[in-house]
Amino acid sequence: MRFPLHTFSLGEVNPGYMFPVPSSCDSCVKRQCMNSDKQGLSHCSYGVNYYVASNGSVIFGFILAGYNSGGGAYKKARGLNRDILLQKKFYEGCVSEWEQLIERSISERASVEERAKEFLFDEEVRNGLSGELREAIIKGLSFVHDYRQMNTQISQSVNIIIEKKYDGSTIEDKLKTATDEERAIYWASKLIDETLRVTKYLLYPEWVTDDSKVAEFRFHGLIFKYFKIYEHRCKREGIALRHRGESYTNIVANSEAVGVVAQALLDNAVKYSPACAAFIEIYFCDHEDHVEMAVKSLGPRLSEHDKVNIFEPFKRGREAEKMQEEGAGFGLYISSLILSRMGGDVTVSQSKNASQKGFYETEFTVNIPLSTQRWGNLPKTRGAPK
Amino acid sequence: MFDFLKKEKKPTYVEPSFQDIKKRARILIIDDDVFQYLELFRSNGYNVEHWKDVDNLDRLERGDFDVILLDIQGVGKKISDDQGAGVLQHLKRKNPSQLVIAYSNADFTMRYQQFFSMADASLEKSADYSQFQLQLDDLLKRRFDIDFYCREMLVAAGKGPAEIERLMPEIKASIVSADKSKIEALLGDSISVEQFGAVVSIFSSAVTIVGGIG
């Protein structure tokens, strides 16, 4: 796309055709312009101007004549970079054109996505695509069976230790008196079990609506199982895990699949939490025809583009990738797939301002019908920002 | 002299206590790998045998074991291409009242789902010992519950819920008295030969259990 000024959009730098890239931008490591949240005109520490657009993209590498807020750095940059000096009218014209381009591309993208959704929601197409994705996943996940076997050994061994050493009528009673290390091993093996179960639904999404798995169960009770599994890890990592609200409703669904969703959301919340003052809050609410659950935590910034992208397979938020090297990027995808097949959905919202150390309050909200239906309903929204 | 006045004592069945059931029950684990909970079960008073493969199919078909814990994969390769799953299918055909807990670290294909649904209970191999014990105890109680056999027989004969409730007392009496002719009289005309075979197989298992206790 040709634009007179240099731009940064969707993770890519696009040099403008009208002006050279200033030497300070070339050698810049900090990339203050590309990491800024403040919409509108600003300047970096080198005194070079930049503009952050409504969708988070950036026009950078220019000096605006008459800019009053730049101070000494701006004056110095203006002196050194006369070849990138823009007059106000020209600058305003570029910004206006840029914002219009954004608006057009959003509506085009929305229209393409809508058409893609109609196409993809065709059961045959989805099953075919699932098959292709499955082959790719199987190749990458060939270790899953071995890991399951290893985890079984660990799980059974720690079970034997706890059963033999401690008194109590249930395993939970016995765990209360077990050592920290024994509890850690027990809960870690449960966590691995749950994590490996995600691959089952990734490889074989037809399990979601398999009748043999659908039964009535207490939604709150199921989620609490995952609360307990993650409680130990959260305590170790200094994350305050809490819950709010109540749910007394039974739902008719594949409880294992619902568990995969809970596990994916909690896992992400733990993974992307800051090192301190972190929290994870699970919220429950019963509605007339569905149950609602939200998982709120502190996490990296999600751009508007990210908020849609993160529900695609193997995609992660830009800031999340910078933060965490590991992460396959299929937890939210599989959650979205499971929920859409159940007639439910998942949405994401994030606070506008960072709370502390650059982390934002992020909330994933899940809605599940009281009686899940076989695929046939269009999801209300898929990963749409609130 | 007064023998004619003596009423004939009807045979009765008194359900045993769970402690008695546990002492008497024979449990078999078929797993090509080490079954780590084996010693825990033994130390908790269960009589457990472990086979690394299907060593003696005849014994399984005869119902020598009260409950079988069966690994779906890795065993029974000489008997079926579906391994343990095929063994389960065969056993359920031959002896429908054989109680089986199927477990696995198996892959997740739906292909195995049909086999798991044939088992009386199923677990992941990484389940807690307490979950295995819970399922086992549940099936042991069922194994020594005469009502279980009555229902199984009537279900095998294709009877609906209302007929099952109606016929239960008579089926129970026939088991307690080990009188197969009553079964033939009650069900013989209204069911197929194959169904009758299944009914008789369950009847034989029931009589063996009840006869050993009553």
PDB file of all heavy atoms in Angstrom, chain A residues 148 152 155-157 159-160 186 190 193 197 200 204 206-207 210 212, chain B residues 36-37 40 73 105-110 113 124-126 128-130:
ATOM      1  N   ARG A 148       1.141 -38.590  27.952  1.00  0.00           N
ATOM      2  CA  ARG A 148       0.027 -39.121  28.747  1.00  0.00           C
ATOM      3  C   ARG A 148       0.478 -40.318  29.562  1.00  0.00           C
ATOM      4  O   ARG A 148       0.134 -40.460  30.728  1.00  0.00           O
ATOM      5  CB  ARG A 148      -1.136 -39.535  27.825  1.00  0.00           C
ATOM      6  CG  ARG A 148      -2.188 -38.469  27.642  1.00  0.00           C
ATOM      7  CD  ARG A 148      -3.536 -39.074  27.361  1.00  0.00           C
ATOM      8  NE  ARG A 148      -3.541 -40.000  26.265  1.00  0.00           N
ATOM      9  CZ  ARG A 148      -3.578 -39.655  24.980  1.00  0.00           C
ATOM     10  NH1 ARG A 148      -3.605 -38.401  24.643  1.00  0.00           N
ATOM     11  NH2 ARG A 148      -3.592 -40.574  24.047  1.00  0.00           N
ATOM     12  N   THR A 152       0.571 -40.585  33.564  1.00  0.00           N
ATOM     13  CA  THR A 152      -0.163 -41.637  34.276  1.00  0.00           C
ATOM     14  C   THR A 152       0.716 -42.249  35.353  1.00  0.00           C
ATOM     15  O   THR A 152       0.280 -42.468  36.488  1.00  0.00           O
ATOM     16  CB  THR A 152      -0.627 -42.731  33.302  1.00  0.00           C
ATOM     17  OG1 THR A 152      -1.571 -42.154  32.405  1.00  0.00           O
ATOM     18  CG2 THR A 152      -1.273 -43.900  34.019  1.00  0.00           C
ATOM     19  N   SER A 155       1.026 -39.709  38.153  1.00  0.00           N
ATOM     20  CA  SER A 155      -0.247 -39.571  38.857  1.00  0.00           C
ATOM     21  C   SER A 155      -0.508 -40.769  39.756  1.00  0.00           C
ATOM     22  O   SER A 155      -0.860 -40.626  40.938  1.00  0.00           O
ATOM     23  CB  SER A 155      -1.373 -39.430  37.824  1.00  0.00           C
ATOM     24  OG  SER A 155      -2.607 -39.386  38.453  1.00  0.00           O
ATOM     25  N   GLN A 156      -0.302 -41.954  39.226  1.00  0.00           N
ATOM     26  CA  GLN A 156      -0.543 -43.159  40.022  1.00  0.00           C
ATOM     27  C   GLN A 156       0.460 -43.270  41.169  1.00  0.00           C
ATOM     28  O   GLN A 156       0.096 -43.648  42.287  1.00  0.00           O
ATOM     29  CB  GLN A 156      -0.481 -44.399  39.127  1.00  0.00           C
ATOM     30  CG  GLN A 156      -1.668 -44.513  38.193  1.00  0.00           C
ATOM     31  CD  GLN A 156      -1.721 -45.832  37.436  1.00  0.00           C
ATOM     32  OE1 GLN A 156      -0.751 -46.587  37.391  1.00  0.00           O
ATOM     33  NE2 GLN A 156      -2.866 -46.117  36.842  1.00  0.00           N
ATOM     34  N   SER A 157       1.700 -42.917  40.908  1.00  0.00           N
ATOM     35  CA  SER A 157       2.734 -43.034  41.956  1.00  0.00           C
ATOM     36  C   SER A 157       2.425 -42.098  43.120  1.00  0.00           C
ATOM     37  O   SER A 157       2.496 -42.493  44.289  1.00  0.00           O
ATOM     38  CB  SER A 157       4.119 -42.714  41.391  1.00  0.00           C
ATOM     39  OG  SER A 157       4.479 -43.658  40.413  1.00  0.00           O
ATOM     40  N   ASN A 159      -0.435 -40.910  43.893  1.00  0.00           N
ATOM     41  CA  ASN A 159      -1.661 -41.416  44.521  1.00  0.00           C
ATOM     42  C   ASN A 159      -1.327 -42.469  45.561  1.00  0.00           C
ATOM     43  O   ASN A 159      -1.866 -42.478  46.674  1.00  0.00           O
ATOM     44  CB  ASN A 159      -2.563 -42.053  43.450  1.00  0.00           C
ATOM     45  CG  ASN A 159      -3.818 -41.255  43.213  1.00  0.00           C
ATOM     46  OD1 ASN A 159      -4.848 -41.522  43.824  1.00  0.00           O
ATOM     47  ND2 ASN A 159      -3.726 -40.258  42.370  1.00  0.00           N
ATOM     48  N   ILE A 160      -0.428 -43.372  45.189  1.00  0.00           N
ATOM     49  CA  ILE A 160      -0.065 -44.476  46.086  1.00  0.00           C
ATOM     50  C   ILE A 160       0.603 -43.923  47.338  1.00  0.00           C
ATOM     51  O   ILE A 160       0.295 -44.339  48.461  1.00  0.00           O
ATOM     52  CB  ILE A 160       0.854 -45.483  45.362  1.00  0.00           C
ATOM     53  CG1 ILE A 160       0.053 -46.244  44.299  1.00  0.00           C
ATOM     54  CG2 ILE A 160       1.481 -46.470  46.340  1.00  0.00           C
ATOM     55  CD1 ILE A 160       0.891 -47.023  43.321  1.00  0.00           C
ATOM     56  N   TYR A 186       0.860 -33.889  42.937  1.00  0.00           N
ATOM     57  CA  TYR A 186      -0.509 -34.343  42.652  1.00  0.00           C
ATOM     58  C   TYR A 186      -1.228 -33.346  41.749  1.00  0.00           C
ATOM     59  O   TYR A 186      -1.777 -33.718  40.703  1.00  0.00           O
ATOM     60  CB  TYR A 186      -1.281 -34.515  43.967  1.00  0.00           C
ATOM     61  CG  TYR A 186      -2.727 -34.901  43.763  1.00  0.00           C
ATOM     62  CD1 TYR A 186      -3.094 -36.230  43.546  1.00  0.00           C
ATOM     63  CD2 TYR A 186      -3.719 -33.931  43.762  1.00  0.00           C
ATOM     64  CE1 TYR A 186      -4.418 -36.578  43.341  1.00  0.00           C
ATOM     65  CE2 TYR A 186      -5.046 -34.276  43.550  1.00  0.00           C
ATOM     66  CZ  TYR A 186      -5.385 -35.601  43.352  1.00  0.00           C
ATOM     67  OH  TYR A 186      -6.707 -35.945  43.141  1.00  0.00           O
ATOM     68  N   LYS A 190      -2.536 -33.470  37.676  1.00  0.00           N
ATOM     69  CA  LYS A 190      -3.922 -33.194  37.266  1.00  0.00           C
ATOM     70  C   LYS A 190      -3.936 -32.119  36.185  1.00  0.00           C
ATOM     71  O   LYS A 190      -4.696 -32.180  35.214  1.00  0.00           O
ATOM     72  CB  LYS A 190      -4.761 -32.683  38.470  1.00  0.00           C
ATOM     73  CG  LYS A 190      -5.042 -33.738  39.518  1.00  0.00           C
ATOM     74  CD  LYS A 190      -5.906 -34.836  38.967  1.00  0.00           C
ATOM     75  CE  LYS A 190      -5.824 -36.050  39.863  1.00  0.00           C
ATOM     76  NZ  LYS A 190      -6.047 -37.302  39.168  1.00  0.00           N
ATOM     77  N   ASP A 193      -2.866 -33.553  32.924  1.00  0.00           N
ATOM     78  CA  ASP A 193      -4.003 -34.312  32.379  1.00  0.00           C
ATOM     79  C   ASP A 193      -4.964 -33.398  31.637  1.00  0.00           C
ATOM     80  O   ASP A 193      -5.403 -33.668  30.517  1.00  0.00           O
ATOM     81  CB  ASP A 193      -4.783 -34.937  33.543  1.00  0.00           C
ATOM     82  CG  ASP A 193      -4.739 -36.447  33.487  1.00  0.00           C
ATOM     83  OD1 ASP A 193      -4.185 -37.006  32.511  1.00  0.00           O
ATOM     84  OD2 ASP A 193      -5.249 -37.067  34.439  1.00  0.00           O
ATOM     85  N   ARG A 197      -5.814 -33.008  27.638  1.00  0.00           N
ATOM     86  CA  ARG A 197      -7.169 -33.254  27.160  1.00  0.00           C
ATOM     87  C   ARG A 197      -7.561 -32.240  26.087  1.00  0.00           C
ATOM     88  O   ARG A 197      -8.403 -32.514  25.233  1.00  0.00           O
ATOM     89  CB  ARG A 197      -8.179 -33.202  28.318  1.00  0.00           C
ATOM     90  CG  ARG A 197      -9.552 -33.724  27.923  1.00  0.00           C
ATOM     91  CD  ARG A 197     -10.466 -33.985  29.090  1.00  0.00           C
ATOM     92  NE  ARG A 197      -9.994 -35.106  29.874  1.00  0.00           N
ATOM     93  CZ  ARG A 197      -9.642 -35.046  31.152  1.00  0.00           C
ATOM     94  NH1 ARG A 197      -9.732 -33.932  31.799  1.00  0.00           N
ATOM     95  NH2 ARG A 197      -9.208 -36.116  31.780  1.00  0.00           N
ATOM     96  N   LYS A 200      -7.333 -33.479  22.646  1.00  0.00           N
ATOM     97  CA  LYS A 200      -8.408 -34.377  22.199  1.00  0.00           C
ATOM     98  C   LYS A 200      -9.415 -33.569  21.369  1.00  0.00           C
ATOM     99  O   LYS A 200      -9.842 -34.012  20.293  1.00  0.00           O
ATOM    100  CB  LYS A 200      -9.094 -34.979  23.415  1.00  0.00           C
ATOM    101  CG  LYS A 200     -10.338 -35.810  23.120  1.00  0.00           C
ATOM    102  CD  LYS A 200     -10.865 -36.391  24.425  1.00  0.00           C
ATOM    103  CE  LYS A 200     -12.192 -37.085  24.249  1.00  0.00           C
ATOM    104  NZ  LYS A 200     -12.639 -37.710  25.505  1.00  0.00           N
ATOM    105  N   TYR A 204     -10.039 -33.844  17.462  1.00  0.00           N
ATOM    106  CA  TYR A 204     -11.337 -34.450  17.144  1.00  0.00           C
ATOM    107  C   TYR A 204     -12.485 -33.599  17.667  1.00  0.00           C
ATOM    108  O   TYR A 204     -13.143 -33.962  18.651  1.00  0.00           O
ATOM    109  CB  TYR A 204     -11.409 -35.867  17.729  1.00  0.00           C
ATOM    110  CG  TYR A 204     -10.242 -36.732  17.311  1.00  0.00           C
ATOM    111  CD1 TYR A 204      -9.220 -37.040  18.213  1.00  0.00           C
ATOM    112  CD2 TYR A 204     -10.131 -37.208  16.006  1.00  0.00           C
ATOM    113  CE1 TYR A 204      -8.137 -37.805  17.827  1.00  0.00           C
ATOM    114  CE2 TYR A 204      -9.041 -37.969  15.612  1.00  0.00           C
ATOM    115  CZ  TYR A 204      -8.051 -38.268  16.522  1.00  0.00           C
ATOM    116  OH  TYR A 204      -6.967 -39.023  16.132  1.00  0.00           O
ATOM    117  N   GLU A 206     -15.324 -33.311  16.792  1.00  0.00           N
ATOM    118  CA  GLU A 206     -16.645 -33.972  16.774  1.00  0.00           C
ATOM    119  C   GLU A 206     -17.031 -34.497  18.156  1.00  0.00           C
ATOM    120  O   GLU A 206     -18.199 -34.764  18.425  1.00  0.00           O
ATOM    121  CB  GLU A 206     -16.672 -35.111  15.749  1.00  0.00           C
ATOM    122  CG  GLU A 206     -15.604 -36.170  15.910  1.00  0.00           C
ATOM    123  CD  GLU A 206     -14.344 -35.893  15.093  1.00  0.00           C
ATOM    124  OE1 GLU A 206     -14.046 -34.714  14.861  1.00  0.00           O
ATOM    125  OE2 GLU A 206     -13.653 -36.854  14.717  1.00  0.00           O
ATOM    126  N   TRP A 207     -16.058 -34.619  19.063  1.00  0.00           N
ATOM    127  CA  TRP A 207     -16.370 -35.046  20.427  1.00  0.00           C
ATOM    128  C   TRP A 207     -17.295 -34.054  21.134  1.00  0.00           C
ATOM    129  O   TRP A 207     -18.044 -34.428  22.038  1.00  0.00           O
ATOM    130  CB  TRP A 207     -15.095 -35.155  21.264  1.00  0.00           C
ATOM    131  CG  TRP A 207     -14.349 -36.436  21.158  1.00  0.00           C
ATOM    132  CD1 TRP A 207     -13.131 -36.634  20.594  1.00  0.00           C
ATOM    133  CD2 TRP A 207     -14.765 -37.722  21.644  1.00  0.00           C
ATOM    134  NE1 TRP A 207     -12.761 -37.958  20.693  1.00  0.00           N
ATOM    135  CE2 TRP A 207     -13.747 -38.638  21.326  1.00  0.00           C
ATOM    136  CE3 TRP A 207     -15.902 -38.188  22.306  1.00  0.00           C
ATOM    137  CZ2 TRP A 207     -13.810 -39.990  21.653  1.00  0.00           C
ATOM    138  CZ3 TRP A 207     -15.970 -39.536  22.635  1.00  0.00           C
ATOM    139  CH2 TRP A 207     -14.932 -40.415  22.308  1.00  0.00           C
ATOM    140  N   ASP A 210     -20.786 -35.137  20.701  1.00  0.00           N
ATOM    141  CA  ASP A 210     -21.062 -36.570  20.767  1.00  0.00           C
ATOM    142  C   ASP A 210     -22.073 -36.838  21.877  1.00  0.00           C
ATOM    143  O   ASP A 210     -21.862 -36.453  23.035  1.00  0.00           O
ATOM    144  CB  ASP A 210     -19.761 -37.339  21.040  1.00  0.00           C
ATOM    145  CG  ASP A 210     -19.990 -38.835  21.121  1.00  0.00           C
ATOM    146  OD1 ASP A 210     -20.442 -39.406  20.106  1.00  0.00           O
ATOM    147  OD2 ASP A 210     -19.765 -39.421  22.182  1.00  0.00           O
ATOM    148  N   SER A 212     -22.852 -39.387  23.580  1.00  0.00           N
ATOM    149  CA  SER A 212     -22.455 -40.210  24.727  1.00  0.00           C
ATOM    150  C   SER A 212     -21.794 -39.370  25.823  1.00  0.00           C
ATOM    151  O   SER A 212     -21.713 -39.786  26.971  1.00  0.00           O
ATOM    152  CB  SER A 212     -21.499 -41.316  24.278  1.00  0.00           C
ATOM    153  OG  SER A 212     -20.273 -40.770  23.849  1.00  0.00           O
TER     154      SER A 212
ATOM    155  N   GLN B  36      -0.188 -50.005  38.714  1.00  0.00           N
ATOM    156  CA  GLN B  36       0.432 -49.548  39.961  1.00  0.00           C
ATOM    157  C   GLN B  36      -0.494 -49.632  41.166  1.00  0.00           C
ATOM    158  O   GLN B  36      -0.029 -49.655  42.292  1.00  0.00           O
ATOM    159  CB  GLN B  36       0.948 -48.121  39.776  1.00  0.00           C
ATOM    160  CG  GLN B  36       2.143 -48.082  38.814  1.00  0.00           C
ATOM    161  CD  GLN B  36       2.843 -46.734  38.819  1.00  0.00           C
ATOM    162  OE1 GLN B  36       2.697 -45.971  37.885  1.00  0.00           O
ATOM    163  NE2 GLN B  36       3.597 -46.428  39.833  1.00  0.00           N
ATOM    164  N   TYR B  37      -1.800 -49.633  40.923  1.00  0.00           N
ATOM    165  CA  TYR B  37      -2.723 -49.673  42.065  1.00  0.00           C
ATOM    166  C   TYR B  37      -2.947 -51.103  42.571  1.00  0.00           C
ATOM    167  O   TYR B  37      -3.702 -51.300  43.527  1.00  0.00           O
ATOM    168  CB  TYR B  37      -4.069 -49.068  41.678  1.00  0.00           C
ATOM    169  CG  TYR B  37      -4.033 -47.578  41.409  1.00  0.00           C
ATOM    170  CD1 TYR B  37      -4.908 -47.000  40.498  1.00  0.00           C
ATOM    171  CD2 TYR B  37      -3.146 -46.733  42.076  1.00  0.00           C
ATOM    172  CE1 TYR B  37      -4.893 -45.639  40.243  1.00  0.00           C
ATOM    173  CE2 TYR B  37      -3.122 -45.370  41.824  1.00  0.00           C
ATOM    174  CZ  TYR B  37      -3.992 -44.829  40.915  1.00  0.00           C
ATOM    175  OH  TYR B  37      -3.968 -43.471  40.656  1.00  0.00           O
ATOM    176  N   LEU B  40      -2.165 -51.602  46.215  1.00  0.00           N
ATOM    177  CA  LEU B  40      -3.105 -50.849  47.052  1.00  0.00           C
ATOM    178  C   LEU B  40      -4.404 -51.629  47.198  1.00  0.00           C
ATOM    179  O   LEU B  40      -4.969 -51.721  48.290  1.00  0.00           O
ATOM    180  CB  LEU B  40      -3.411 -49.490  46.413  1.00  0.00           C
ATOM    181  CG  LEU B  40      -2.620 -48.275  46.923  1.00  0.00           C
ATOM    182  CD1 LEU B  40      -3.098 -47.018  46.225  1.00  0.00           C
ATOM    183  CD2 LEU B  40      -2.719 -48.117  48.424  1.00  0.00           C
ATOM    184  N   GLN B  73      -6.227 -51.005  25.260  1.00  0.00           N
ATOM    185  CA  GLN B  73      -5.171 -51.156  24.252  1.00  0.00           C
ATOM    186  C   GLN B  73      -4.006 -51.976  24.790  1.00  0.00           C
ATOM    187  O   GLN B  73      -3.681 -51.909  25.973  1.00  0.00           O
ATOM    188  CB  GLN B  73      -4.647 -49.777  23.830  1.00  0.00           C
ATOM    189  CG  GLN B  73      -5.514 -49.103  22.799  1.00  0.00           C
ATOM    190  CD  GLN B  73      -4.890 -47.841  22.268  1.00  0.00           C
ATOM    191  OE1 GLN B  73      -4.219 -47.122  22.984  1.00  0.00           O
ATOM    192  NE2 GLN B  73      -5.096 -47.551  21.007  1.00  0.00           N
ATOM    193  N   ASN B 105      -5.079 -45.274  28.340  1.00  0.00           N
ATOM    194  CA  ASN B 105      -4.361 -44.049  28.005  1.00  0.00           C
ATOM    195  C   ASN B 105      -4.565 -43.793  26.531  1.00  0.00           C
ATOM    196  O   ASN B 105      -3.829 -43.066  25.898  1.00  0.00           O
ATOM    197  CB  ASN B 105      -2.843 -44.248  28.194  1.00  0.00           C
ATOM    198  CG  ASN B 105      -2.376 -43.722  29.523  1.00  0.00           C
ATOM    199  OD1 ASN B 105      -3.003 -42.848  30.086  1.00  0.00           O
ATOM    200  ND2 ASN B 105      -1.291 -44.269  30.020  1.00  0.00           N
ATOM    201  N   ALA B 106      -5.622 -44.409  26.002  1.00  0.00           N
ATOM    202  CA  ALA B 106      -5.807 -44.555  24.554  1.00  0.00           C
ATOM    203  C   ALA B 106      -5.806 -43.231  23.824  1.00  0.00           C
ATOM    204  O   ALA B 106      -5.956 -42.171  24.406  1.00  0.00           O
ATOM    205  CB  ALA B 106      -7.112 -45.273  24.271  1.00  0.00           C
ATOM    206  N   ASP B 107      -5.700 -43.336  22.516  1.00  0.00           N
ATOM    207  CA  ASP B 107      -5.878 -42.131  21.716  1.00  0.00           C
ATOM    208  C   ASP B 107      -7.335 -41.698  21.807  1.00  0.00           C
ATOM    209  O   ASP B 107      -8.162 -42.402  22.376  1.00  0.00           O
ATOM    210  CB  ASP B 107      -5.461 -42.372  20.261  1.00  0.00           C
ATOM    211  CG  ASP B 107      -6.309 -43.419  19.573  1.00  0.00           C
ATOM    212  OD1 ASP B 107      -7.552 -43.341  19.656  1.00  0.00           O
ATOM    213  OD2 ASP B 107      -5.742 -44.320  18.960  1.00  0.00           O
ATOM    214  N   PHE B 108      -7.619 -40.587  21.248  1.00  0.00           N
ATOM    215  CA  PHE B 108      -8.924 -39.989  21.478  1.00  0.00           C
ATOM    216  C   PHE B 108      -9.925 -40.228  20.363  1.00  0.00           C
ATOM    217  O   PHE B 108     -10.955 -39.601  20.342  1.00  0.00           O
ATOM    218  CB  PHE B 108      -8.748 -38.479  21.629  1.00  0.00           C
ATOM    219  CG  PHE B 108      -7.970 -38.094  22.852  1.00  0.00           C
ATOM    220  CD1 PHE B 108      -6.909 -37.214  22.753  1.00  0.00           C
ATOM    221  CD2 PHE B 108      -8.288 -38.597  24.088  1.00  0.00           C
ATOM    222  CE1 PHE B 108      -6.198 -36.823  23.878  1.00  0.00           C
ATOM    223  CE2 PHE B 108      -7.582 -38.221  25.224  1.00  0.00           C
ATOM    224  CZ  PHE B 108      -6.534 -37.327  25.107  1.00  0.00           C
ATOM    225  N   THR B 109      -9.579 -41.129  19.431  1.00  0.00           N
ATOM    226  CA  THR B 109     -10.504 -41.287  18.312  1.00  0.00           C
ATOM    227  C   THR B 109     -11.840 -41.820  18.785  1.00  0.00           C
ATOM    228  O   THR B 109     -11.917 -42.607  19.724  1.00  0.00           O
ATOM    229  CB  THR B 109      -9.948 -42.252  17.251  1.00  0.00           C
ATOM    230  OG1 THR B 109      -9.622 -43.484  17.906  1.00  0.00           O
ATOM    231  CG2 THR B 109      -8.715 -41.682  16.587  1.00  0.00           C
ATOM    232  N   MET B 110     -12.879 -41.434  18.068  1.00  0.00           N
ATOM    233  CA  MET B 110     -14.220 -41.877  18.455  1.00  0.00           C
ATOM    234  C   MET B 110     -14.408 -43.365  18.199  1.00  0.00           C
ATOM    235  O   MET B 110     -15.360 -43.955  18.701  1.00  0.00           O
ATOM    236  CB  MET B 110     -15.265 -41.070  17.693  1.00  0.00           C
ATOM    237  CG  MET B 110     -15.229 -39.600  18.075  1.00  0.00           C
ATOM    238  SD  MET B 110     -16.686 -38.724  17.548  1.00  0.00           S
ATOM    239  CE  MET B 110     -17.862 -39.294  18.734  1.00  0.00           C
ATOM    240  N   GLN B 113     -14.918 -45.190  21.241  1.00  0.00           N
ATOM    241  CA  GLN B 113     -16.043 -44.809  22.070  1.00  0.00           C
ATOM    242  C   GLN B 113     -17.083 -45.923  22.128  1.00  0.00           C
ATOM    243  O   GLN B 113     -17.673 -46.192  23.168  1.00  0.00           O
ATOM    244  CB  GLN B 113     -16.670 -43.518  21.526  1.00  0.00           C
ATOM    245  CG  GLN B 113     -17.761 -42.929  22.400  1.00  0.00           C
ATOM    246  CD  GLN B 113     -17.322 -42.774  23.835  1.00  0.00           C
ATOM    247  OE1 GLN B 113     -16.191 -42.408  24.117  1.00  0.00           O
ATOM    248  NE2 GLN B 113     -18.212 -43.060  24.766  1.00  0.00           N
ATOM    249  N   GLU B 124     -10.074 -43.074  32.842  1.00  0.00           N
ATOM    250  CA  GLU B 124      -8.756 -42.812  32.280  1.00  0.00           C
ATOM    251  C   GLU B 124      -7.738 -43.471  33.207  1.00  0.00           C
ATOM    252  O   GLU B 124      -7.941 -43.504  34.426  1.00  0.00           O
ATOM    253  CB  GLU B 124      -8.505 -41.312  32.192  1.00  0.00           C
ATOM    254  CG  GLU B 124      -9.273 -40.678  31.062  1.00  0.00           C
ATOM    255  CD  GLU B 124      -8.979 -39.201  30.928  1.00  0.00           C
ATOM    256  OE1 GLU B 124      -8.179 -38.677  31.701  1.00  0.00           O
ATOM    257  OE2 GLU B 124      -9.588 -38.577  30.048  1.00  0.00           O
ATOM    258  N   LYS B 125      -6.667 -43.950  32.616  1.00  0.00           N
ATOM    259  CA  LYS B 125      -5.701 -44.692  33.413  1.00  0.00           C
ATOM    260  C   LYS B 125      -5.062 -43.814  34.486  1.00  0.00           C
ATOM    261  O   LYS B 125      -4.587 -44.308  35.507  1.00  0.00           O
ATOM    262  CB  LYS B 125      -4.617 -45.283  32.499  1.00  0.00           C
ATOM    263  CG  LYS B 125      -3.887 -46.446  33.124  1.00  0.00           C
ATOM    264  CD  LYS B 125      -3.091 -47.223  32.096  1.00  0.00           C
ATOM    265  CE  LYS B 125      -2.260 -48.291  32.798  1.00  0.00           C
ATOM    266  NZ  LYS B 125      -1.425 -49.068  31.871  1.00  0.00           N
ATOM    267  N   SER B 126      -5.051 -42.498  34.268  1.00  0.00           N
ATOM    268  CA  SER B 126      -4.442 -41.596  35.241  1.00  0.00           C
ATOM    269  C   SER B 126      -5.403 -41.197  36.364  1.00  0.00           C
ATOM    270  O   SER B 126      -5.077 -40.358  37.188  1.00  0.00           O
ATOM    271  CB  SER B 126      -3.953 -40.333  34.528  1.00  0.00           C
ATOM    272  OG  SER B 126      -5.040 -39.717  33.866  1.00  0.00           O
ATOM    273  N   ASP B 128      -7.506 -41.155  39.843  1.00  0.00           N
ATOM    274  CA  ASP B 128      -7.073 -41.443  41.212  1.00  0.00           C
ATOM    275  C   ASP B 128      -7.454 -42.862  41.603  1.00  0.00           C
ATOM    276  O   ASP B 128      -8.444 -43.416  41.108  1.00  0.00           O
ATOM    277  CB  ASP B 128      -7.756 -40.478  42.192  1.00  0.00           C
ATOM    278  CG  ASP B 128      -7.218 -39.057  42.064  1.00  0.00           C
ATOM    279  OD1 ASP B 128      -6.097 -38.883  41.542  1.00  0.00           O
ATOM    280  OD2 ASP B 128      -7.927 -38.134  42.506  1.00  0.00           O
ATOM    281  N   TYR B 129      -6.701 -43.405  42.552  1.00  0.00           N
ATOM    282  CA  TYR B 129      -7.009 -44.740  43.088  1.00  0.00           C
ATOM    283  C   TYR B 129      -8.439 -44.751  43.642  1.00  0.00           C
ATOM    284  O   TYR B 129      -9.186 -45.709  43.463  1.00  0.00           O
ATOM    285  CB  TYR B 129      -6.021 -45.112  44.202  1.00  0.00           C
ATOM    286  CG  TYR B 129      -6.455 -46.327  44.996  1.00  0.00           C
ATOM    287  CD1 TYR B 129      -6.352 -47.611  44.462  1.00  0.00           C
ATOM    288  CD2 TYR B 129      -7.005 -46.188  46.274  1.00  0.00           C
ATOM    289  CE1 TYR B 129      -6.775 -48.721  45.170  1.00  0.00           C
ATOM    290  CE2 TYR B 129      -7.435 -47.296  46.992  1.00  0.00           C
ATOM    291  CZ  TYR B 129      -7.315 -48.557  46.432  1.00  0.00           C
ATOM    292  OH  TYR B 129      -7.748 -49.663  47.142  1.00  0.00           O
ATOM    293  N   SER B 130      -8.816 -43.679  44.302  1.00  0.00           N
ATOM    294  CA  SER B 130     -10.150 -43.627  44.912  1.00  0.00           C
ATOM    295  C   SER B 130     -11.250 -43.731  43.856  1.00  0.00           C
ATOM    296  O   SER B 130     -12.317 -44.284  44.117  1.00  0.00           O
ATOM    297  CB  SER B 130     -10.322 -42.348  45.731  1.00  0.00           C
ATOM    298  OG  SER B 130     -10.072 -41.216  44.927  1.00  0.00           O
TER     299      SER B 130
END
